[in-house]
Amino acid sequence: MNQAFRSAHKVGLEDYQNNPEVRLQVEMQRQRDYELGQQVAAQLERQIHH
């Protein structure tokens, strides 16, 4: 699991758990990725229904 986390977020799971600054950065990036995904999905949805 640590390897997958490191691969996805460029930081180890232990660092994420023990460092609030690292955790904040990872969560902010996750939020940006989620919002971008929602925008892409909405755009595709609009294209399908035109």
Side-chain angles (χ1 to χ4, degrees):
M1 178 157 167
N2 188 42
Q3 187 66 26
F5 195 88
R6 183 175 299 281
S7 178
H9 302 292
K10 312 296 186 253
V11 67
L13 188 56
E14 186 175 323
D15 290 332
Y16 172 81
Q17 291 173 334
N18 295 326
N19 187 333
E21 291 178 16
V22 169
R23 184 181 296 225
L24 180 61
Q25 292 300 316
V26 168
E27 294 305 325
M28 287 173 62
Q29 185 61 48
R30 282 181 172 174
Q31 184 65 32
R32 285 190 296 267
D33 291 345
Y34 172 79
E35 290 170 0
L36 179 59
Q38 293 297 304
Q39 290 173 1
V40 169
Q43 186 177 29
L44 288 172
E45 191 70 28
R46 284 191 300 272
Q47 289 176 358
I48 289 171
H49 294 298
H50 268 266

